[in-house]
Amino acid sequence: MNELVPGGNVPLPSGTLTIRVPGPFDVSALVTDDTGKVRGDADFVFYNQPTAPGARLAGDTLTVDPPGLRPGATRLTVAVSPAEPGTPLGHLPAPTLLVTGRDGRTLARFTPPRAQRETVLLLAELYRKGAGWKIRALGQGYADGLAGVARDFGVEVLEDATSGAPRQGRGAVTCAAPPRGRDQPPPTRTRPTTPPPPTSTPTHFLDLVNSTRAAAGSPPVAPDARLSTAAQAHASAMAAQGRLDSESDGLSVHQRVTSTGYAYLTVGEHLVSGPRTPAEFVDYCRSGPEARRTLCERACTQVGLGHATDPRSGTVYWTALWAQPFTPAGLHRTATEVITLTNTERARAGLPPLSPDPHLTDAAQAHSADMVARAFYAHTSPDGGEPWHRAAAAGSTRRSIGENIACGQRSAAEVVLGWMNSPGHRANILKPGFTHIGIGFVGGGAAGTYWTQLFGG
């Protein structure tokens, strides 16, 4: 099973998928094409309209047959809102999205960061990639309810407020997609009438950023030309498509970074539409706990900024990339921290610590690099190699081998916490028979970071 983080994505097998979000939530879905807009009211699946071609909603469970979606559909976005109207999501437990295949096997799980005042979250999107489909974790919040989500996707939502009777439960919602000609540009969230060209002065941007970082006790960041090149390419791709996307025109923002020759140990990004100036953009980055955390990440030492304007709507799209460059010493520190945190968990369970093993380390590092190079995420490599094969090829003579992998986590603490929250990964960490460990980490690929934890006994 894949534990996803915001922006992380995994390929999906063919066949019907089951998407479930247990808890006090209403599940809904929007079917769109590459524009990110619905074609008509039948593309909105929710409690008052539970079926659409290829999608059926029953309680907290959405059943999807991706090839069965209406002609031209390339995306299905899953949203959740509180079952009790007007309740902020911050008053409820964080929703967890579970995706299972037709064989009943859980394929992916995603729990977004805890919401605050938001009343709707876009949890994930299924999207067509070549001949297959993938799922990407989102975690985008809205404070204006399901109506705000629907309008962003091109749906006009009319809430029934004409009756004098008290509203029961969710109330009534009627959807109607506004008419749109084939050549008419899709509506966007921001449509200024006379947009001035955005002005971006790196010095001004850095002053704003570093003053915020200084107030948070973080060291300053310096500009890097390779990060700026990647950020500008991604912002331009988003503006050309007219939508925010971590994987515009088939390339993830992380793949753009590595394509410039920049290797990183830590990376973070802001993808934002709407601000007109660097000052407005930085204000957005300071506006919420998650965005501020990325802006003030202590490990990051370099930054790149890009922005571009959608000529159809005037909306400005921004990409900021924050990173710590790769060094062998930094990789060693990261691996050591993973081992330390792993051994802390073993000590809590009364187990002896694991010792670093150079052969297991070589095999783990090679597997993380292979997952990035060959664009896969699995214990079994494309040529059929298994963890014990890789350990033996690296010179290990350990009799028992176990492996944990993860992608998307941005720190040692985050990846170990994710493994400990997953029963199968936790079992490897706490297996009494294991005595040695090797850690692999590589930045790049669609998910941004790829981790391997290889155990031997």
Side-chain angles (χ1 to χ4, degrees), residues 23-290:
F25 308 105
D26 282 331
V27 180
S28 55
L30 296 113
V31 179
T32 64
D33 54 23
D34 285 336
T35 68
K37 305 298 177 181
V38 299
R39 180 177 294 177
D41 59 348
D43 284 350
F44 190 16
V45 180
F46 67 119
Y47 44 79
N48 276 357
Q49 185 171 273
T51 60
R56 178 172 55 86
L57 178 64
D60 62 3
T61 301
L62 181 70
T63 303
V64 182
D65 175 25
L69 296 174
R70 55 98 169 154
T74 58
R75 294 172 185 266
L76 181 141
T77 303
V78 181
V80 293
S81 54
E84 184 64 29
T87 303
L89 285 166
H91 294 179
L92 302 175
T96 295
L97 178 140
L98 300 166
V99 184
T100 57
R102 60 183 176 182
D103 59 357
R105 182 171 61 93
T106 301
L107 304 172
R109 179 169 63 184
F110 173 54
T111 302
R114 185 69 177 270
Q116 300 298 320
R117 294 174 296 174
E118 294 90 339
T119 53
V120 176
L121 279 178
L122 302 185
L123 280 185
E125 65 175 2
L126 278 63
Y127 63 102
R128 192 165 61 199
K129 185 73 171 177
W133 288 76
K134 300 177 76 172
I135 185 168
R136 174 165 45 231
L138 298 176
Q140 178 184 350
Y142 285 74
D144 52 351
L146 198 57
V149 176
R151 292 188 183 104
D152 265 11
F153 281 76
V155 178
E156 181 183 356
V157 177
L158 305 173
E159 297 207 37
D160 183 6
T162 59
S163 172
R167 297 184 62 176
Q168 300 292 326
R170 306 179 184 96
V173 178
T174 303
C175 307
R180 186 169 74 239
R182 175 173 296 183
D183 298 324
Q184 182 179 348
T188 56
R189 186 177 308 178
T190 305
R191 283 187 277 180
T193 54
T194 55
T199 57
S200 176
T201 54
T203 300
H204 181 46
F205 170 75
L206 284 172
D207 288 344
L208 293 169
V209 165
N210 284 330
S211 65
T212 302
R213 289 175 62 87
S218 300
V221 289
D224 182 89
R226 294 163 298 176
L227 291 177
S228 294
T229 297
Q232 185 58 52
H234 200 76
S236 297
M238 291 193 298
Q241 296 184 11
R243 59 183 170 86
L244 289 174
D245 197 336
S246 64
E247 195 175 293
S248 292
D249 63 17
L251 285 177
S252 75
V253 66
H254 310 104
Q255 289 169 318
R256 295 187 197 279
V257 173
T258 54
S259 70
T260 68
Y262 189 102
Y264 56 81
L265 279 173
T266 302
V267 68
E269 71 280 344
H270 286 110
L271 308 178
V272 182
S273 64
R276 313 309 315 287
T277 66
E280 290 182 9
F281 173 72
V282 174
D283 281 344
Y284 169 83
C285 296
R286 294 186 291 212
S287 63
E290 287 298 319

